[in-house]
Amino acid sequence: MFDTMMPSTQVFEELKALLPESVVRQSEPLARRTTMRVGGCADVYLEPASEAELSKAVQFFHRSETPFMILGRGSNLLVRDGGVRGVVICLCHPNLSRIEAEKPLLHCGAGARLKAVSAKARELELAGLEFLEGIPGNVGGALRMNAGAMGGEMFKVITQVRFLDAGGIVHQRNTADIPVEYRSCPFFQTNIALGATFRGEPEAKEAIAQRTAQFNQKRWGSQPKEPSAGCIFKNPSPTLSAGKLIDELGLKGTRCGGASVSMVHGNFIINDGNATASDVLQLITTIKARARSERGIELRTEVEIIGEEHG
Ligand code: EPU
């Protein structure tokens, strides 16, 4: 915490001097960097221009005991209203977002959007990456989450990952050597994902495009269009969908301030434009309490909740 560590203005100044190519800003609003569109500011915001500058930054954070976190596409993230103390890093610089083809492989930087990876695979007639199309995330966030949809998941379609360890050293590792769980890869809590190598299966473009269209149709028919953080809760079991459970509990439409449970899918909380993080968190508490008292089920959030309640 900066209360006892280096003041945030000093961290900002030191990063600016240390990383001449990178973007460094103070008091960066995070709401617009998340799909839920709520929450406060980051004390310091950093967009490293290269792996080398990111590595320097990480070494500085360790020396100065400055807290930091990596922000992905912000699609599975709820930032509390008081914002985030420390440094929030976004790997969205073009140098860290490249997609390089080496058929049947695609080497993708952490900042590459999953939709772009899917489109590139389609263009090169590589199948199996269609499910990435509708996930509103980037490669780094999807690795950390082991993101998935439509029966596919990240770690089933990648062969290697590139990452920075806690000391700022770059490594490459086969995915078979990295343990993963349902919607989580704990390895990337301490290591920073820099990119992944995807592997597709050769197939005609038309067949791939047709499957992509089917997935899009299913998604747009079953998910709300308003701002949300995707599915709020993990499915309690492989046979029980959290959305179906919330639907059965009669909670669709339940409102708290500017946040409400979507009428389209029970596992989505939507923002009508005026929601605060506190509204969303209160709804989460209400839903969990009902699932517990009426069905004895302990729902666990899939979205990552970060930051302070008060600024
Ligand atoms: N259902 C209802 N009412 C609802 C919502 C769903 O009855 O309000 C029923 C559906 O009709 C369906 C079943 O519940 O029969 C399952 O619903 P769905 O197909 O939407 O799948 P899900 O298990 O709710 C998962 C992922 C989604 C992913 C979809 C499609 C989780 C927690 N959710 O949802 O991922 O898009 O499958 O592959 O794993 C996300 O992670 O943010 C996310 C949205």
Side-chain angles (χ1 to χ4, degrees):
M1 299 286 284
F2 284 159
D3 305 347
T4 51
M5 307 283 170
M6 196 181 272
S8 63
T9 301
Q10 192 183 342
V11 170
F12 167 70
E13 295 297 344
E14 297 224 9
L15 284 176
K16 272 183 72 100
L18 190 67
L19 314 171
E21 308 287 324
S22 301
V23 173
V24 190
R25 288 200 286 261
Q26 250 183 313
S27 294
E28 176 82 357
L30 293 175
R32 62 172 183 238
R33 297 192 172 274
T34 72
T35 55
M36 189 84 223
R37 303 205 158 260
V38 298
C41 292
D43 284 343
V44 178
Y45 172 80
L46 168 66
E47 260 175 43
S50 62
E51 287 183 1
E53 291 215 344
L54 173 62
S55 171
K56 274 192 199 171
V58 167
Q59 287 166 10
F60 165 75
F61 298 146
H62 284 284
R63 273 199 310 278
S64 59
E65 295 185 46
T66 301
F68 71 96
M69 61 156 288
I70 312 285
L71 177 72
R73 175 71 184 86
S75 58
N76 195 53
L77 190 67
L78 179 55
V79 179
R80 291 194 184 90
D81 295 317
V84 179
R85 301 293 77 80
V87 181
V88 171
I89 305 172
C90 188
L91 304 181
C92 53
H93 193 283
N95 289 341
L96 302 176
S97 310
R98 293 198 187 109
I99 300 177
E100 283 161 355
E102 188 194 337
K103 263 179 112 175
L105 306 177
L106 291 178
H107 305 288
C108 303
R113 292 199 173 193
L114 298 176
K115 193 179 170 68
V117 176
S118 176
K120 188 71 179 174
R122 190 165 59 245
E123 180 193 320
L124 295 173
E125 307 208 285
L126 294 174
L129 307 183
E130 300 87 321
F131 73 96
L132 297 172
E133 165 87 14
I135 302 179
N138 62 18
V139 169
L143 286 171
R144 164 105 188 259
M145 281 291 299
N146 188 18
M150 311 290 166
E153 66 178 35
M154 271 301 270
F155 275 80
K156 287 185 185 157
V157 294
I158 58 175
T159 58
Q160 282 200 321
V161 294
R162 209 176 142 73
F163 62 93
L164 204 66
D165 69 16
I169 311 291
V170 177
H171 302 264
Q172 194 130 315
R173 194 172 287 180
N174 291 334
T175 33
D177 300 330
I178 297 181
V180 288
E181 298 163 13
Y182 164 65
R183 293 294 184 271
S184 161
C185 178
F187 182 81
F188 289 119
Q189 275 159 21
T190 47
N191 297 288
I192 300 175
L194 294 173
T197 298
F198 292 76
R199 188 189 179 94
E201 296 300 325
E203 201 186 319
K205 195 177 285 182
E206 293 69 28
I208 299 172
Q210 199 181 1
R211 262 196 311 277
T212 307
Q214 273 167 8
F215 285 172
N216 280 340
Q217 206 178 0
K218 177 168 192 268
R219 179 174 290 266
W220 291 121
S222 64
Q223 297 187 1
K225 292 168 185 62
E226 296 87 346
S228 77
C231 285
I232 288 280
F233 298 103
K234 293 183 177 176
N235 285 337
S237 79
T239 51
L240 181 57
S241 146
K244 191 161 195 288
L245 169 67
I246 293 164
D247 193 353
E248 286 170 4
L249 290 170
L251 289 168
K252 278 181 161 179
T254 308
R255 176 168 284 277
C256 182
S260 64
V261 178
S262 165
M263 295 303 293
V264 178
H265 195 297
N267 202 8
F268 283 67
I269 291 180
I270 55 171
N271 178 357
D272 74 1
N274 297 304
T276 62
S278 156
D279 294 339
V280 178
L281 287 163
Q282 245 173 287
L283 261 187
I284 290 175
T285 305
T286 303
I287 296 167
K288 286 179 79 162
R290 284 285 295 277
R292 191 182 302 127
S293 66
E294 289 191 29
R295 299 282 289 270
I297 294 171
E298 203 57 49
L299 281 175
R300 288 184 305 129
T301 44
E302 175 179 303
V303 290
E304 193 178 348
I305 302 170
I306 61 162
E308 312 294 319
E309 222 167 295
H310 305 287

